[in-house]
Amino acid sequence: MSVNPKIVIVGCGISGIAAAQRLVSSGFNNVRIVEATGRSGGRIKTGRLGNNIVEIGANWIHGPSEENPVFCLARNYGLLDTEALDPVNQSVDIAGHPPWVPNVFSSSGQKLNAEDIYPAQDMFVELLYESSEFQNQGGEPWASVGDFIWSEVPKRAAEKWKDVDGATRSLRMRVINNLLKAECCVNGTHSMDELGLGAYGLYKTLPGLDCTFPSGYESLIKKLLSELPNGLVTYNRPVRCVCWNNSEQKEKPVTVECDDDERISADHVIVTVPLGYLKKHYSTLFHPPLPLHKLHSIQRLGFGTNNKIFVEFDSPWWDADCEVIYLLWEDEDALVSEIQDVQRFWIKKLFGFTVLKPTERYGHVLCGWIAGHESEYMETLSEQEVTHTVTQLIRRFTGNPTITPKRVLRSQWFHEPWTCGSYSHPGKGCSAQDLENMMEPLPTKGSQSQPLQVLFAGEATHPCYFSTVHGALLSGWREADRLIAHYSKSKL
Ligand code: 6YU
């Protein structure tokens, strides 16, 4: 057993950086991060739209309160504004934020009364809450959250809305369809039918009103990196294969092979690549291959696409207090399972826009949200095509043929080769065991070989905060602590 073990971390997203920071601050000085791209941060990526900062990846600190390590770090580094630091903000426990103030438009070019959407919104929120409860009850009647919602909406509508007229009922169904699209964005899934009902409740929220970084999420990455020794990260060095259980090399049982043929011998490797990348490359990334139970969990867990389309205007066409703009399609007054003809109608999957606030900081910028295969198709179009389609959409829904965006910028997470999508969700048939399997180090328990050769971190390995920055950060610390505990035990 080496006294100064060589530890290689694959990936310089927040989980890789967190692992390195914890190891280095505990006295491990033979640590190296190998990153495929030319930058740090991975899915934390701050960009610019004209003079404005925009978040291409992660947006919010979800649940900014004492239990959230991202909030604590950001506060300690002085990266948050006074509102986020207000203790009242931290104590509000409503899973994110109160319902946004909406402006609602229909595809016939009318602005609707915001109150008209509330009954459908209430029913939808109730159904999501019930979806998260199944796990605790020890059994679920449907395989997916989508199946559950689809079976319940007609029953509850018939019961609760029996006295409302046909037009109102149709409007409410359009709202449900819209909220389903929005929920696909939240969960990073193509359809709610892909989200396992039994595992939906595994995701846990923290108290605190979601907040943002005034200078961009990447300001956190910069601060964390500034505390690591110079030269610890090697950029533009994709890892091709992690060869473990290396019988020829007793001292260093793992070899990390890079695309440029560099071979790095190590005692331990912490793999933090996204689940999307793992799903695509598991067969070549590990030698010997991953154990079957781990592979099956990689396949069962979902990893979908959620993209943003930022649109800047010279002046707002929405109300001053508006926080979200919902777009309701007239023809979606029955539950819509799939958008037909994705190439022509991909834009129908965009549920609407959130308004970037405060205006003094961001200007008149909207963020459109689109998930799933339609989002993946959008990525293949030119920027001009996306701009044209979004302009037509806004003109149609507002009934104003002169509205013209100043600038448009979209994310392309599915075609990002080292990410292959946006974030993870529990797929159909998933359970807590799958997340346990994701984080299980190699070789697995009971093997005679040197332990803890390959460890796994990253958002998709956190048992209840998967899909978030705080989940990723905690997973990096967890794997660093595993090694620290291992060496402190072996010293005794
Ligand atoms: C959050 C939010 N948020 C929006 C969008 C996205 C994400 N998230 P990384 O990928 O960062 O790092 C891996 C590195 O590995 C990377 O640098 C690669 O280049 C490198 N690599 C890969 N292959 C390699 C190889 N072969 N060799 C070497 N290097 C290699 N999270 O807290 N707040 O607002 C959002 C959002 C559009 C894309 C988000 C948000 C997710 C986070 O960004 C993400 O989890 C972490 O940054 C991941 O860090 P990492 O280190 O693990 O990987 C049931 C139920 C579910 C309910 N879900 C609730 C949804 C909550 C999530 N909300 C998201 C919403 C937004 C808007």
Side-chain angles (χ1 to χ4, degrees):
M1 183 86 55
S2 176
V3 283
N4 185 18
K6 170 94 185 199
I7 302 168
V8 174
I9 299 168
V10 183
C12 196
I14 188 88
S15 60
I17 297 170
Q21 177 239 348
R22 180 64 61 103
L23 287 165
V24 169
S25 65
S26 305
F28 289 78
N29 58 16
N30 202 356
V31 178
R32 182 173 168 189
I33 301 182
V34 191
E35 164 59 40
T37 68
R39 57 177 286 279
S40 306
R43 282 169 276 170
I44 294 178
K45 188 175 182 185
T46 305
R48 285 204 162 266
L49 183 68
N51 295 326
N52 308 313
I53 276 178
V54 286
E55 301 293 2
I56 312 289
N59 235 68
W60 296 283
I61 303 182
H62 288 305
S65 51
E66 285 303 325
E67 292 157 76
N68 187 327
V70 173
F71 171 73
C72 295
L73 282 172
R75 180 186 55 194
N76 297 349
Y77 285 133
L79 298 175
L80 300 177
D81 61 20
T82 42
E83 201 183 325
L85 296 172
D86 183 345
V88 176
N89 253 43
Q90 294 161 44
S91 61
V92 183
D93 197 357
I94 46 167
H97 51 81
W100 282 319
V101 176
N103 278 184
V104 188
F105 294 91
S106 88
S107 55
S108 59
Q110 283 167 308
K111 188 162 180 246
L112 309 177
N113 261 337
E115 300 84 67
D116 292 346
I117 71 168
Y118 296 149
Q121 217 172 20
D122 290 346
M123 183 190 284
F124 194 76
V125 170
E126 184 181 285
L127 286 166
L128 283 185
Y129 175 76
E130 288 176 31
S131 300
S132 69
E133 290 288 286
F134 277 112
Q135 192 211 2
N136 303 334
Q137 291 167 8
E140 64 275 4
W142 293 274
S144 73
V145 176
D147 290 340
F148 172 62
I149 291 178
W150 282 75
S151 76
E152 284 301 305
V153 167
K155 279 192 252 164
R156 295 189 193 195
E159 193 187 310
K160 291 191 181 180
W161 303 338
K162 58 178 181 301
D163 299 326
V164 303
D165 59 69
T168 307
R169 207 182 263 233
S170 293
L171 168 68
R172 291 181 185 175
M173 292 310 278
R174 289 181 200 116
V175 175
I176 300 270
N177 276 313
N178 184 270
L179 294 173
L180 280 165
K181 294 177 201 173
E183 211 45 41
C184 287
C185 294
V186 172
N187 293 281
T189 181
H190 168 64
S191 140
M192 294 299 278
D193 298 357
E194 291 172 9
L195 205 58
L197 185 59
Y200 184 65
L202 290 175
Y203 180 77
K204 298 283 176 263
T205 57
L206 290 168
L209 284 178
D210 289 358
C211 68
T212 55
F213 287 79
S215 325
Y217 228 123
E218 267 193 49
S219 57
L220 176 67
I221 297 292
K222 289 203 181 86
K223 288 281 186 194
L224 285 166
L225 281 176
S226 71
E227 291 181 1
L228 291 177
N230 277 341
L232 187 135
V233 189
T234 308
Y235 294 101
N236 300 308
R237 193 67 55 91
V239 167
R240 185 172 55 210
C241 187
V242 176
C243 308
W244 54 292
N245 255 352
N246 224 325
S247 49
E248 301 115 59
Q249 280 184 281
K250 284 241 157 47
E251 275 294 297
K252 305 245 179 292
V254 199
T255 306
V256 175
E257 282 181 14
C258 302
D259 261 2
D260 65 353
D261 289 335
E262 184 187 0
R263 293 165 66 86
I264 313 165
S265 297
D267 293 287
H268 310 281
V269 176
I270 305 180
V271 175
T272 76
V273 302
L275 176 61
Y277 183 88
L278 262 187
K279 278 178 178 283
K280 206 167 167 185
H281 299 285
Y282 66 84
S283 63
T284 49
L285 190 61
F286 300 96
H287 183 79
L290 295 174
L292 272 184
H293 66 284
K294 200 168 182 89
L295 178 57
H296 288 154
S297 293
I298 289 172
Q299 290 167 335
R300 257 194 302 270
L301 282 161
F303 194 82
T305 305
N306 177 23
N307 273 309
K308 305 178 185 182
I309 307 178
F310 293 100
V311 197
E312 187 184 8
F313 299 87
D314 280 322
S315 54
W317 45 267
W318 52 93
D319 296 344
D321 63 346
C322 169
E323 294 172 315
V324 64
I325 295 166
Y326 291 121
L327 304 177
L328 305 185
W329 289 87
E330 291 282 323
D331 61 349
E332 293 187 350
D333 53 5
L335 283 171
V336 180
S337 57
E338 280 289 334
I339 286 169
Q340 304 299 319
D341 196 349
V342 168
Q343 303 199 353
R344 272 182 75 197
F345 298 118
W346 62 270
I347 195 71
K348 290 182 85 174
K349 191 67 173 287
L350 184 133
F351 81 81
F353 301 92
T354 48
V355 184
L356 267 56
K357 298 237 168 160
T359 308
E360 313 81 65
R361 187 184 298 156
Y362 297 106
H364 305 299
V365 179
L366 300 180
C367 176
W369 297 85
I370 179 164
H373 304 325
E374 295 80 0
S375 185
E376 291 160 10
Y377 176 71
M378 177 277 292
E379 292 187 21
T380 66
L381 301 174
S382 68
E383 243 172 50
Q384 286 96 311
E385 277 175 278
V386 174
T387 303
H388 174 76
T389 310
V390 169
T391 306
Q392 294 309 112
L393 177 87
I394 292 169
R395 289 179 176 176
R396 175 176 181 165
F397 276 78
T398 54
N400 179 344
T402 65
I403 294 178
T404 305
K406 202 163 130 190
R407 287 189 193 88
V408 172
L409 176 76
R410 45 72 198 267
S411 60
Q412 291 168 292
W413 286 105
F414 183 68
H415 288 90
E416 166 57 56
W418 313 106
T419 315
C420 312
S422 300
Y423 39 89
S424 65
H425 59 261
K428 276 203 273 199
C430 268
S431 69
Q433 187 59 50
D434 289 307
L435 291 150
E436 287 293 326
N437 292 348
M438 287 297 291
M439 72 176 93
E440 187 184 30
L442 300 175
T444 48
K445 274 199 189 110
S447 162
Q448 299 302 309
S449 325
Q450 186 167 315
L452 304 184
Q453 293 180 34
V454 188
L455 302 95
F456 293 84
E459 56 89 7
T461 72
H462 196 279
C464 59
Y465 302 140
F466 46 84
S467 73
T468 66
V469 173
H470 54 283
L473 180 106
L474 286 167
S475 74
W477 282 349
R478 178 192 69 218
E479 295 311 314
D481 286 342
R482 206 191 285 276
L483 287 173
I484 295 164
H486 174 71
Y487 281 93
S488 56
K489 257 190 250 151
S490 58
K491 259 196 240 147
L492 295 174

